[in-house]
Amino acid sequence: MSDDFVLDVTRIRDDARRKMAAGPVTDTYGLDKNRVIAILNDVIATEVVCWLRYTRHAISASGIDRAQVSAEFTEHAKEEMQHALRAAERVSQLGGDPDFDPGSLTQRSHTDYTTPADNDLKAMLEHNLLAERIVIASYQEIIRWLGEHDPTTRRLMESILEEEEEHADDLVDLIGV
């Protein structure tokens, strides 16, 4: 078996010196950086809308199981906001501007913002489960698209996906399906 791997450290050092202003993005970056930034900005919008929906449901929920359901919604809301902030940090690392524009959040989000009746905990749970399933499917597609071209963004999306799957599992348990 032949080992033909050769690392030209001199060339890498020279390139790094010449392009210091590019920060962490090197010539070996495998994708259109602006496309990745746009996709991550849609992820930010999705996560903010999910944070808003969970927060509203946590506050407005009423009924006999309110405490347990509201606590779960509150926990999920905190994690959704952390997902948005992590995606925003990656946008910044890639040289882009994180887009938190309230005017376009719902248009860019993969999920909807819903407001079921305050006493309809089952509808709240179902709306959030639907949103989690949409997020899981869309993030899986993003991860496949990123592949080996941008391992840092892929790992970020994989870690967010893992938490989204946990959210869906929690919601299924609460619904009792």
Side-chain angles (χ1 to χ4, degrees):
M1 181 179 271
S2 165
D3 182 4
D4 58 354
F5 178 75
V6 176
L7 187 62
D8 186 349
V9 176
T10 302
R11 179 192 53 78
I12 292 171
R13 287 178 181 168
D14 290 343
D15 286 347
R17 282 186 190 98
R18 276 195 318 276
K19 299 175 183 172
M20 296 272 287
V25 181
T26 66
D27 289 343
T28 59
Y29 187 76
L31 293 170
D32 174 354
K33 181 180 71 159
N34 293 326
R35 181 71 179 124
V36 174
I37 289 168
I39 289 168
L40 287 173
N41 272 321
D42 289 351
V43 167
I44 292 168
T46 301
E47 295 296 332
V48 170
V49 168
C50 288
W51 170 75
L52 290 167
R53 186 184 53 256
Y54 272 124
T55 299
R56 197 253 185 215
H57 292 179
I59 292 167
S60 65
S62 65
I64 194 162
D65 295 321
R66 180 217 184 279
Q68 179 184 12
V69 172
S70 181
E72 198 67 42
F73 288 164
T74 299
E75 178 185 330
H76 290 191
K78 289 177 187 173
E79 291 172 351
E80 302 295 358
M81 183 49 68
Q82 284 304 308
H83 298 165
L85 294 173
R86 291 170 59 205
E89 180 62 32
R90 184 61 181 153
V91 166
S92 182
Q93 288 172 352
L94 292 171
D97 294 317
D99 188 351
F100 286 93
D101 179 2
S104 66
L105 283 174
T106 56
Q107 290 84 23
R108 293 182 294 116
S109 175
H110 302 172
T111 63
D112 295 324
Y113 178 83
T114 60
T115 56
D118 294 352
N119 64 346
D120 196 347
L121 295 181
K122 185 172 184 194
M124 289 180 188
L125 290 163
E126 288 173 346
H127 287 219
N128 284 300
L129 177 57
L130 175 62
E132 294 294 356
R133 290 180 49 78
I134 291 166
V135 166
I136 290 166
S138 62
Y139 290 6
Q140 286 172 337
E141 289 189 25
I142 292 168
I143 290 164
R144 280 191 286 276
W145 176 74
L146 290 166
E148 296 301 317
H149 304 293
D150 182 347
T152 302
T153 304
R154 186 194 71 239
R155 285 191 310 271
L156 166 69
M157 292 303 301
E158 287 170 343
S159 71
I160 293 172
L161 173 63
E162 180 180 0
E163 288 187 1
E164 301 295 4
E165 289 173 345
E166 289 173 13
H167 293 174
D169 190 50
D170 293 342
L171 295 168
V172 166
D173 288 346
L174 287 169
I175 293 171
V177 278

